[in-house]
């Protein structure tokens, strides 16, 4: 028997090329969507603080068939309807991570999963501590537990930081696990009365959805109407309707079969992600982020225990939870940090995860649904906490921006122009032969140019 290996695994090391390419496509859509999300949030704040009456009238306007229990306000449609698309994409992301991504290997998944769990527990602990000492309501403990990947990537785009692929993948994995636990929190803690008939019919619809997928039935005209019916039944059941979106996303096959360039899950995600990131989430932000930010309101955020708990949970709890969970896991396992990166880089990404927007706003609405004034104050605290986390993370990332740019350039360099970054071909003999030929050709060209320059100079010096 061979002796057990003492080799330490590399944390935040180089990703495989297929995983890197998938990550690049996914983050490109999320970054664009995040910029739209920022724009929608700013528009909502301007609208609510200048023409507040019209803002409340529009988002409170009811529409939909009341006969089937769907006479809902515009704000409700945005939170329960449009976010179902967002959670559908989150379900596909989670399924793919579990079967083909960072979470498929339990040993490799342990570190980001533990970091994400610590990054949700610590903000809740901070919220509990602040409100226990200040005599506030404990209902909002879940508000600061969520990370908004689109908003975080939008901040990266705005401050111009080029994070290496491994750090971006770590952030995305954290957000995926974060979304999973946020879904569980919504399902378990924010479901009061249940209509078992509607819930049973919704579950039956999900079973039919799954069987059709297993049988290989194709056609959007089959699945889209069925998905709408499942969503409507879930909405009437009392369980938050976004759960239906997650369940359908998890049912899609995300592994490739022979001859497939992409799995059905990847293909559908590629089609739906722009709709989610570019339309559904920004529209939700437009009708949820509009809160009063007067001087008195901002003062209340830092003096009321519920709102202060949310701000500190996002800025302090998220950062300490993710960084502490990551460091402890690496310290007591065989995981070794990529030598090109430092622990302050992990700390900066942890602070970036303190940007909680979409899901935090949704949980805030659910937690304080009976107190509209406190709901708006909680939303304001989410906005302020996310802004502080973004500024703090931006400062930390800017300090190392030059190093990140160098790492990104190394990852992108493709001197032989074969479409594959050179760093992924270093171990191939034919790559070294190709590179040697390229360098020899460059050297020959330089010699030729030098000879031409020398000949021209000699002609200039000729007395004739």
């Amino acid at each position: 028997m061979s002796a057990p290996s003492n080799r330490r695994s590399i944390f935040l090391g180089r990703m495989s090329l297929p995983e890197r390419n998938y990550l690049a496509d996914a983050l490109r859509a999320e970054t664009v969507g995040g910029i739209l999300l920022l724009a929608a949030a700013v528009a909502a704040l301007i609208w609510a603080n200048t023409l507040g009456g019209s803002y409340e009238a529009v988002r409170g306007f009811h529409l939909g068939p009341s006969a089937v229990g769907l006479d809902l306000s515009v704000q409700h449609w945005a939170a329960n309807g449009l976010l179902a698309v967002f959670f559908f994409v989150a379900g596909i992301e989670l399924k793919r991570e579990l079967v083909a991504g960072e979470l498929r290997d339990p040993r490799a998944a342990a570190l980001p999963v533990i970091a994400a769990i610590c990054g949700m527990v610590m903000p809740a602990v901070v919220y509990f501590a602040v409100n226990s000492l200040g005599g506030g309501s404990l209902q909002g403990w879940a508000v600061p537990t969520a990370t908004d990947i689109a908003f975080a990537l939008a901040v990266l785009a705005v401050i111009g930081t080029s994070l290496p692929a491994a750090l971006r993948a770590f952030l995305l994995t954290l957000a995926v696990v974060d979304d999973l636990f946020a879904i569980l929190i919504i399902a378990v803690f924010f479901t009061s009365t249940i209509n078992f008939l509607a819930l049973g019919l919704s579950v039956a619809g999900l079973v039919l959805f799954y069987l059709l997928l297993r049988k290989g039935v194709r056609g959007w005209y089959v699945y889209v109407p069925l998905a709408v019916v499942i969503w409507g039944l879930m909405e009437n059941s009392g369980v938050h309707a976004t759960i239906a979106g997650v369940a359908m996303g998890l049912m899609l096959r995300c592994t490739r079969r022979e001859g497939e360039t992409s799995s059905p899950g990847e293909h559908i995600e590629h089609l739906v992600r722009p709709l989610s990131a570019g339309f559904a989430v920004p529209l939700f932000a437009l009708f949820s982020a509009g809160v009063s930010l007067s001087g008195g309101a901002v003062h209340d955020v830092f003096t009321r225990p519920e709102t202060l708990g949310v701000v500190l949970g996002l800025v302090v709890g998220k950062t300490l939870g993710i960084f502490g969970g990551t460091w402890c896991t690496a310290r007591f396992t065989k995981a070794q940090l990529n030598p090109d990166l430092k622990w302050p880089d992990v700390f900066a990404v942890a602070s970036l995860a303190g940007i909680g927007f979409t899901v935090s706003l949704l949980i805030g609405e659910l937690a304080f649904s009976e107190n509209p004034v406190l709901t708006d104050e909680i939303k304001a605290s989410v906005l302020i906490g996310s802004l502080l986390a973004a500024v703090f993370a931006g400062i930390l990332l800017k300090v190392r921006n030059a190093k990140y740019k160098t790492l990104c350039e190394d990852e992108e360099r493709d001197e032989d122009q074969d479409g594959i970054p050179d760093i992924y071909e270093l171990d191939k003999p034919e790559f070294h032969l190709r590179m040697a030929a390229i360098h020899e050709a460059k050297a020959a060209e330089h010699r030729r140019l030098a000879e031409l320059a020398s000949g021209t100079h000699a002609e200039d010096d000729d007395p004739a």
Side-chain angles (χ1 to χ4, degrees):
M1 292 179 63
S2 60
S5 172
N6 291 321
R7 185 179 179 183
R8 293 169 67 86
S9 60
I10 300 297
F11 167 53
L12 296 179
R14 189 199 314 167
M15 305 173 65
S16 67
L17 185 59
E19 194 68 15
R20 176 185 172 279
N21 292 340
Y22 168 81
L23 177 75
D25 290 340
L27 294 185
R28 194 176 298 113
E30 290 289 359
T31 302
V32 174
I35 293 172
L36 293 175
L37 178 61
L38 279 172
V42 171
L45 290 171
I46 293 173
W47 188 3
N49 285 275
T50 55
L51 301 169
S54 65
Y55 181 77
E56 290 298 332
V58 171
R59 75 173 179 176
F61 182 76
H62 278 244
L63 68 158
S66 57
V68 290
L70 295 177
D71 181 20
L72 310 174
S73 68
V74 169
Q75 184 179 6
H76 196 124
W77 276 110
N80 288 29
L82 292 177
L83 280 196
V85 179
F86 166 79
F87 278 106
F88 174 69
V89 173
I92 300 175
E93 285 179 340
L94 178 60
K95 178 68 173 289
R96 190 190 175 283
E97 288 290 322
L98 290 170
V99 301
E102 295 290 308
L103 304 180
R104 69 186 183 280
D105 181 357
R107 290 174 299 178
L111 203 148
V113 168
I114 292 173
I117 292 173
C118 293
M120 297 190 79
V121 171
M122 187 58 71
V125 169
V126 170
Y127 182 92
F128 264 112
V130 172
N131 283 272
S132 295
L133 293 173
S137 170
L138 300 180
Q139 289 178 256
W141 63 271
V143 176
T145 60
T147 293
D148 195 303
I149 184 65
F151 214 145
L153 291 171
V155 170
L156 288 179
V158 170
I159 65 176
T161 300
S162 300
L163 277 183
L167 281 174
R168 288 176 178 259
F170 182 57
L171 182 61
L172 180 62
T173 305
L174 284 174
V176 169
V177 178
D178 209 288
D179 285 342
L180 169 63
F181 285 100
I183 291 158
L184 294 176
I185 288 171
I186 291 171
V188 174
F189 295 99
F190 296 105
T191 298
S192 51
T193 58
I194 296 180
N195 181 334
F196 287 99
L197 175 60
L199 181 60
L201 291 173
S202 181
V203 172
L206 288 171
V207 171
L208 177 59
F209 189 90
Y210 176 75
L211 292 175
L212 291 173
L213 289 172
R214 293 278 292 182
K215 292 292 183 181
V217 176
R218 296 176 178 271
W220 65 267
Y221 46 83
V222 174
Y223 292 103
V224 172
L226 179 58
V228 171
V229 171
I230 293 170
W231 175 86
L233 289 167
M234 190 70 76
E235 170 68 23
N236 279 279
S237 73
V239 178
H240 202 271
T242 54
I243 304 299
V246 177
M248 287 183 278
L250 286 170
M251 290 179 185
L252 294 175
R253 176 169 61 83
C254 292
T255 53
R256 299 179 186 181
R257 292 175 179 169
E258 188 176 352
E260 289 183 337
T261 56
S262 63
S263 66
E266 291 172 320
H267 176 66
I268 293 172
E269 181 188 10
H270 180 73
L271 294 176
V272 179
R273 185 187 288 276
L275 175 64
S276 169
F279 177 74
V281 175
L283 205 56
F284 165 76
L286 181 64
F287 293 114
S288 290
V291 295
S292 173
L293 287 181
S294 63
V298 173
H299 176 267
D300 290 343
V301 165
F302 292 99
T303 54
R304 185 161 186 160
E306 293 90 348
T307 50
L308 181 60
V310 170
V311 172
L312 293 179
L314 289 170
V315 178
V316 179
K318 270 288 183 184
T319 305
L320 294 181
I322 291 173
F323 179 78
T326 304
W327 187 88
C328 289
T329 306
R331 174 68 178 80
F332 297 107
T333 64
K334 291 184 177 181
Q336 180 179 356
L337 184 65
N338 181 347
D340 289 329
L341 299 171
K342 306 296 181 186
W343 281 109
D345 299 320
V346 181
F347 188 82
V349 171
S351 63
L352 191 63
I355 300 174
F357 191 78
T358 306
V359 179
S360 291
L361 291 176
L362 176 61
I363 294 177
E365 290 180 359
L366 297 173
F368 299 102
S369 57
E370 297 178 358
N371 189 339
V373 174
L374 184 53
T375 298
D376 279 354
E377 292 178 348
I378 289 292
K379 288 181 179 180
S381 68
V382 170
L383 296 175
I384 292 172
S386 297
L387 177 62
L388 292 175
V391 171
F392 181 51
I395 293 171
L396 295 177
L397 292 169
K398 276 293 185 184
V399 171
R400 294 269 290 167
N401 200 35
K403 177 65 175 177
Y404 296 149
K405 284 184 176 179
T406 301
L407 291 175
C408 284
E409 287 170 1
D410 291 341
E411 290 178 357
E412 298 292 335
R413 187 173 293 113
D414 183 18
E415 289 194 19
D416 56 349
Q417 297 183 348
D418 63 348
I420 301 175
D422 295 341
I423 198 170
Y424 288 93
E425 300 182 292
L426 289 176
D427 299 328
K428 298 179 180 179
E430 60 271 22
F431 168 73
H432 293 285
L433 291 173
R434 213 161 52 236
M435 292 305 298
I438 290 172
H439 290 308
E440 178 58 33
K442 288 182 177 179
E445 179 66 14
H446 288 150
R447 286 196 298 271
R448 188 180 70 82
L449 292 173
E451 290 171 358
L452 287 173
S454 175
T456 302
H457 182 71
E459 290 175 1
D460 291 342
D461 291 341
D462 190 343

